[in-house]
Amino acid sequence: MRKPPRIKLPSPIHAGAIIEIRTLATHVMETGNRKDGAGNIIPRDIIHTFTARFDDNEVFSADLNSGISPNPYIAFFMQVPGSGTLTLTWQDDSGTTTVEKIAINVT
């Protein structure tokens, strides 16, 4: 990803609340089915794995494939047990891993 992903969290966050986390990754998501101007196949390059962890616990994961659009939008819900760190990880076919960490402080 060239740009850091956008991440939206509600505010304020209360302990025990169920919150929606929204992310938007900037990625071309090339399927490997198209050809360039010279007729050569453009290699596949998609985000294939997304995971969300709160401290040491996985709270959401998704395996993506070539049917997903460019700049994928992912939204999921989680219950917040207390303050901690939310770690979001995107992995793509080119070997790039993007990790974003967000401190969550409950009120």
Side-chain angles (χ1 to χ4, degrees):
M1 285 184 277
R2 293 183 183 154
K3 294 181 184 178
R6 289 192 237 165
I7 302 164
K8 296 268 186 175
L9 299 172
S11 181
I13 299 173
H14 304 287
I18 297 174
I19 64 170
E20 181 179 27
I21 298 160
R22 297 178 289 171
T23 69
L24 180 69
T26 303
H27 197 282
V28 296
M29 301 295 276
E30 185 56 59
T31 65
N33 296 327
R34 294 184 324 129
K35 295 181 180 181
D36 62 15
N40 301 315
I41 293 177
I42 301 170
R44 178 181 132 140
D45 185 18
I46 66 167
I47 295 173
H48 57 77
T49 307
F50 172 80
T51 56
R53 299 181 72 77
F54 186 77
D55 290 335
D56 292 330
N57 302 314
E58 186 175 286
V59 295
F60 182 81
S61 68
D63 293 325
L64 309 174
N65 57 47
S66 61
I68 195 160
S69 68
N71 307 320
Y73 170 81
I74 298 172
F76 61 96
F77 292 89
M78 69 170 261
Q79 185 171 17
V80 181
S83 295
T85 302
L86 179 66
T87 304
L88 305 178
T89 306
W90 295 259
Q91 295 176 321
D92 70 16
D93 288 340
S94 68
T96 302
T97 299
T98 301
V99 178
E100 292 289 326
K101 294 186 179 197
I102 301 106
I104 294 181
N105 298 309
V106 298
T107 57

